[in-house]
Amino acid sequence: MVRRLGSGGMGRVWLAHDAVLDCEVALKEIDVPPTLTEQELAARIARARGEARHAARLRNHPHVATVHDVVEEHGLPWIVMEYVPGATDLEAVVRRYGPLPPAEAARIGLAVLDALTEGHRLGVLHRDVKPANILLTSPAARTAHPAEEGQVLLADYGIALDPASGETRLTAASGIVGTPGYLSPERARGGEPSPEADLFALGATLYFTVSGEGPFDADTDAASLTALMLDEVTLPAQVTEPLASVVKGLLVKDPAARMRGEEAARRLAAVQAPPDPGPPTIPAPPAPVPPAPVPPAPGPSTPMPPSPVPPGTRVIRRRRRMPAGRTAAIVAAAVLLVGGAVWAGAALIGGSGTTSSSSSQTSAVGGPSPATATGPVPPYGEAVGLQQELHRGDCVSAVWNGEKFQGLPRLGLLDCVKDTPDGQALDMAEVTSLSDATQNGNAICAARLRTTVESLPDARAYAIPPSEQGWAGGVRAMPCLVFGRSTGIVGPVGTFRPVGQEIYLADTSVGDCVDSTTKEDGSQSTVLADCNVPHAEQVLGFVVPPGNVTYKSASETDSLKLCAQQYAAYRTGGHEVSAWTGGETGWNQGFRYVMCTLTMADGSKLPAGAVGSAQ
C-alpha cells in the first residue's frame, strides 16, 4: 500500500500498487467490527463480492468507476477498484467552491443518468446515488483527449441489488439502505428498490449541485426523513428553468408520476450549453475540396482497385487462454497484417457475406445525391458547401477550417462503403427555431446520438444547423452527424451496417458480433455477424491505455493485459478474452484504443445470443 485515500460507509480506501497488473489501484478495506457474529461477517463478505459482481456488469461504461476484483486476506474481503488520479467527489467540490452553474450541473446529471439507465437496463440498481458517490476527474485523467472536460464517474455500487437474482436484501441496522436526504419516499417507507428511486436520488443530487444543500437537509437523520416524507420541495431562486423542471420532476413523491429518465435526459440536454459555437464565424468559405476520382468499374481487363486503407491498417490481435488465477502467464498470439483491411485475426471461422451501401441515400463521390435540392441556396450555408439537404445514412468527408469541431466543416458526400468517410448523418432533428438550432444544436444531437456515440471507440456527435438562407427556404431538419474524433469513422456505423458488411476498428460498436470471411483475392476480412446465430467473436468494449503505454508495448503485451483486467468476469465457461489494436499511424494520430472481444477458448464459435454487458 502507498497511502490512504479516504474512508466510506463500509471501510477505508487505500492507494496500492498491483504487482500483477503493474498499475496503481484503489484498494477498499472492508471495515469489520470485532463484535460481529460469524453470520454477520459472512454477510459483509457476501456484500463485498456482490459489489464487485454487479459493478463488473457495468465496467465498460464511461461513467462508472470500475471494480476490478475482490481478493481475500485472512478471510476478509478487499475490493480492487480503478484508481483515477485527481478525482474529487461532487460533494467536496460544491462544499469547497460553491454551487455549480446550471450547464455544468446538467453535464454531470446527464452522465450519471446515462450510467443509471444502462444499469437499469441490465437489472442493476444503485440505491445510493448522492453527491459523495459521484467522482469528477481532471480533464486528462481517463481520456486520451486532454482538451476534453473531466470525466464524471458514478461510484460505490456497494449496496447494488440485482432484483432478478433472488438474493437476500442487505440492509442497515435501521432497515433502510441508502442515505437520508437522498432516499425516495417509497424507499423510506420500506418499499422495494426501483429505477424510479434512483431517479429521485438523482433529483436530490442535482438540487444540491446548484444550491449547495440537499432538498431535505436537517439537523438529524430522523428530521431529514420527516422532511422527505411530508415537506414539498421549494427550489432556491438560483435553480431556474429549464433545470428547475427536471429537479421538480425527479423529486415528485409519487413514483408513478415521477419524471422518466428519457424525459430528464432530453431536458438536461437542453440545459447544457453547447460545447462549440453555434453560428459559424468563418469570414470566408474555404476552397472547395476536389472530389476523389470515382474508381472504374471492374471488368475483364480492369483490375479491382484495392480497398481504402484508413489510418491504422495494421491490426494486432492477441488471445488469452483462460487461466485459473490472475497470475497466469499471457499466451502470445500471431501478429497478422491484412492487406487493405483494418482487422486481423487467427483461426476465425466465418460465414460469407456481400458488402453493400449502408443507405440508399448515400451517393458516390462526385455523383448526384438522390436528396431533393433546395434550390440555389445551400441549406447549411456557403461554408458547408452542400447544395442539397442531408438525409439519414448519408456519409460525408469533412474539412475543418481550423481546429476540429470548431465552427462548421466543409462537407462532401461520399459512398459509405467504397470511400472512407469522416462522418455519417445518423438522425434528423426537427427544430422549432433557427436560434435553437444554432445555439443548442450540439447539445440536442449529443442527447439523440448518445447511445451510438458511447458504443463507438472514438466518436463525437455534431450538429449541422440550417443557415439563415436555408431556414428562409424551408429547411427545418437539422442533421445530427457522428464523426471520428482523431480519425474518420472509416465506414458506416450503427444500424446502417448490414450483416456481412466488412467492418473496421473505428466503426465497430460495443456488442457487435463478428465473423471472418475470405475475399476474392484470398485475403481475410472481418464482417458484421448476426448475434442470433453462432459467431466467432463479440465486442465487449474498448479500453484507453495509460499515457505511458507505447504502440509497441500495446501491440505486443499491454493490450491483452488491459482486456484481461477489464473483462476478467467473462473468463469463465470456456471463454477467452482477446485484444485488438489499430495501426501505428492511427495510434500516433490519437486513435489509442484497445478493443476487447469474447471468444471461445477452443476456437469454436460463440453460441447464439449476446453476452453480459455487450447486450
Side-chain angles (χ1 to χ4, degrees), residues 6-332:
S7 60
M10 289 181 65
R12 291 162 292 280
V13 181
W14 303 83
L15 175 63
H17 182 81
D18 190 316
V20 175
L21 302 176
D22 192 24
C23 66
E24 289 184 324
V25 295
L27 195 61
K28 188 171 184 179
E29 174 191 4
I30 305 303
D31 192 11
V32 181
T35 56
L36 283 183
T37 66
E38 184 176 345
Q39 183 179 6
E40 290 170 332
L41 177 59
R44 286 289 182 105
I45 295 176
R47 180 170 174 173
R49 288 173 174 163
E51 174 175 353
R53 183 172 64 253
H54 293 308
R57 301 175 67 186
L58 292 164
R59 69 172 64 214
N60 67 323
H61 196 282
H63 300 306
V64 174
T66 299
V67 174
H68 296 311
D69 202 356
V70 172
V71 297
E72 290 189 25
E73 182 73 18
H74 302 300
L76 299 180
W78 295 71
I79 302 176
V80 184
M81 302 182 296
E82 174 184 16
Y83 170 61
V84 183
T88 307
D89 68 75
L90 175 60
E91 181 178 33
V93 170
V94 174
R95 297 293 187 206
R96 180 175 181 181
Y97 299 104
L100 302 184
E104 180 64 8
R107 183 181 78 89
I108 294 170
L110 275 170
V112 174
L113 182 59
D114 192 48
L116 290 175
T117 300
E118 178 64 8
H120 295 164
R121 186 181 72 84
L122 296 174
V124 180
L125 307 175
H126 191 281
R127 299 206 296 166
D128 199 20
V129 178
K130 59 184 179 181
N133 280 341
I134 297 172
L135 301 181
L136 307 178
T137 76
S138 58
R142 258 175 65 128
T143 176
H145 307 279
E148 291 183 2
E149 298 171 306
Q151 183 65 281
V152 179
L153 305 173
L154 180 58
D156 200 357
Y157 270 81
I159 55 173
L161 176 70
D162 183 349
S165 68
E167 296 172 345
T168 301
R169 184 153 47 99
L170 300 169
T171 62
S174 64
I176 299 175
V177 175
T179 302
Y182 294 91
L183 281 172
S184 66
E186 66 270 20
R187 292 288 295 119
R189 296 188 186 97
E192 291 299 316
S194 66
E196 291 74 22
D198 279 349
L199 294 178
F200 185 93
L202 175 59
T205 298
L206 289 173
Y207 185 108
F208 171 86
T209 303
V210 292
S211 70
E213 59 183 15
F216 310 106
D217 279 359
D219 294 335
T220 65
D221 288 348
S224 292
L225 290 173
T226 300
L228 167 71
M229 302 297 294
L230 301 178
D231 295 351
E232 292 299 323
V233 175
T234 301
L235 298 179
Q238 62 266 37
V239 185
T240 58
E241 294 294 348
L243 181 60
S245 64
V246 179
V247 176
K248 289 179 182 177
L250 293 177
L251 290 177
V252 169
K253 296 188 185 297
D254 181 2
R258 195 167 298 151
M259 182 178 289
R260 294 295 182 258
E262 297 82 358
E263 178 67 13
R266 186 183 68 81
R267 298 195 183 195
L268 285 174
V271 176
Q272 188 181 6
D276 301 302
T281 57
I282 302 173
V289 180
V294 179
S301 59
T302 305
M304 176 69 76
S307 301
V309 182
T313 57
R314 187 168 184 263
V315 176
I316 311 300
R317 180 182 184 223
R318 302 193 63 81
R319 299 176 60 123
R320 175 188 179 111
R321 295 288 172 183
M322 297 301 98
R326 298 176 61 201
T327 59
I330 293 177
V331 180

Side-chain angles (χ1 to χ4, degrees), residues 313-365:
T313 57
R314 187 168 184 263
V315 176
I316 311 300
R317 180 182 184 223
R318 302 193 63 81
R319 299 176 60 123
R320 175 188 179 111
R321 295 288 172 183
M322 297 301 98
R326 298 176 61 201
T327 59
I330 293 177
V331 180
V335 175
L336 302 179
L337 173 62
V338 178
V342 176
W343 287 59
L348 283 180
I349 304 173
S352 61
T354 57
T355 58
S356 61
S357 174
S358 65
S359 169
S360 60
Q361 295 170 333
T362 58
S363 60
V365 178

Side-chain angles (χ1 to χ4, degrees), residues 56-57 60 118 121-122 538 540 570 598 609-615:
R57 301 175 67 186
N60 67 323
E118 178 64 8
R121 186 181 72 84
L122 296 174
Q538 184 172 5
L540 294 173
Y570 292 90
L598 186 70
V611 183
S613 66
Q615 290 184 3

